[in-house]
Amino acid sequence: MATPLFHGSIVALVTPMTHDEVNYEELKKLVEYHVQAGTHGIVSVGTTGESTTLSIDENVKVIKKTVEFADGRIPVIAGTGSNATSEAIILTKLLTNSGVVGCLSVVPYYNKPTQEGMYLHYKAIAESTDLPQILYNVPGRTGSDLKPETIGRLAEIPNIVGVKEATGDLTRLPLIKQLAGEDFIFLSGDDATGLESMKLGGQGVISVTNNVAAADMAKMCELALAGKFDEAEVINQRLMALHHDLFIEANPIPVKWAAYKLGLISEPNLRLPLTTLSEGAQPAVLAALQKAGLI
């Protein structure tokens, strides 16, 4: 079977900020870091990229700049989700012919649609574009769970090609594969269980840890996809504290602080209502970076 376009270690990239403004020079450096580290793809302006506090214009500019900086060396996936179907369609259309290879669209948050509502939401988005669409299920943040049965229905729409599953529930993977077909791409959205998902046939991880351990995550995924699970496990265990403690406060609070500590960004700033990592949580993240051998 050919390697799918969406595979391996895909970084859910942070959006660097100086004070309250996007720092595009630092964004360029981050993209270069991932190119050099062998990261297999970038999600630009997903949850980790603070999509909910960037304006539509900023969303589009950050994504287009990421494509520009990548310069064809690494595929860029645009975060285009919204809890309003019309807004998600607008974002998607604004990125037509932008150079992105696809879109990652989160389950509508806060308003808690039914399964039929979610189906119709994604169907409308997919029908508005030729860009490949990846569903993104993260009920811990959205308040709604996109069920495997609904994913199976959506997989019948030609340009809905995969799902990012951030539940950490590995029992869902074989069921989704059964309902959606073996060619439907399964990407873990949970770093702690990402390797286990690849053992079960998943194609990779859309990763927060990758922001600070890019080369390790790329190597781990490459080993796993080659069936070298024992070697992949050695790397994964070294990163396990990061997989957990980068979520000690709401993402992307800890990972921005970690990136700052490693000198990847100059400030750990986020836009309100998110605030920088609390002093009480900093020792755990620092210890996780040390366990990973990054400092």
Side-chain angles (χ1 to χ4, degrees), residues 1-2 4 21 70 73 85 94 124 138 149 162 176 186 217 248 255 257 267:
M1 185 184 296
E21 297 300 318
R73 296 173 296 166
T85 307
L94 286 170
V138 56
E149 293 77 13
I176 289 169
F186 186 102
M217 283 297 297
I248 194 169
V255 73
W257 188 84
E267 298 179 24

Side-chain angles (χ1 to χ4, degrees), residues 236-253:
N236 196 49
Q237 284 305 312
R238 181 159 46 80
L239 300 178
M240 191 56 72
L242 276 176
H243 294 340
H244 288 289
D245 289 337
L246 288 181
F247 297 90
I248 194 169
E249 291 179 1
N251 178 48
I253 291 171

Side-chain angles (χ1 to χ4, degrees), residues 40 53 99-100 141 148-149 154 169-170 190 197 235 267:
H40 300 104
T53 54
V100 300
R141 293 191 79 125
E149 293 77 13
L154 287 165
D169 180 357
L170 294 170
D190 177 59
S197 79
I235 299 172
E267 298 179 24

Side-chain angles (χ1 to χ4, degrees), residues 79 86 135 164 258:
S86 58
L135 314 171
K164 174 186 176 182

Side-chain angles (χ1 to χ4, degrees), residues 25 39 67 146 152 229 231 235 244:
E25 281 302 309
T39 297
V67 171
L146 185 66
F229 298 123
E231 293 175 59
I235 299 172
H244 288 289

Side-chain angles (χ1 to χ4, degrees), residues 56 80-94 103-129 133 135 154 157 160:
I56 286 181
T80 53
S82 173
N83 63 344
T85 307
S86 58
E87 184 173 291
I89 289 172
I90 289 168
L91 265 172
T92 303
K93 286 184 172 180
L94 286 170
C103 299
L104 179 70
S105 189
V106 71
V107 166
Y109 41 87
Y110 184 75
N111 42 21
K112 294 190 175 182
T114 62
Q115 294 300 306
E116 185 64 15
M118 285 185 258
Y119 172 80
L120 293 172
H121 169 82
Y122 282 119
K123 181 174 182 286
I125 296 168
E127 289 176 347
S128 76
T129 183
Q133 300 292 304
L135 314 171
L154 287 165
I157 299 169
I160 296 181

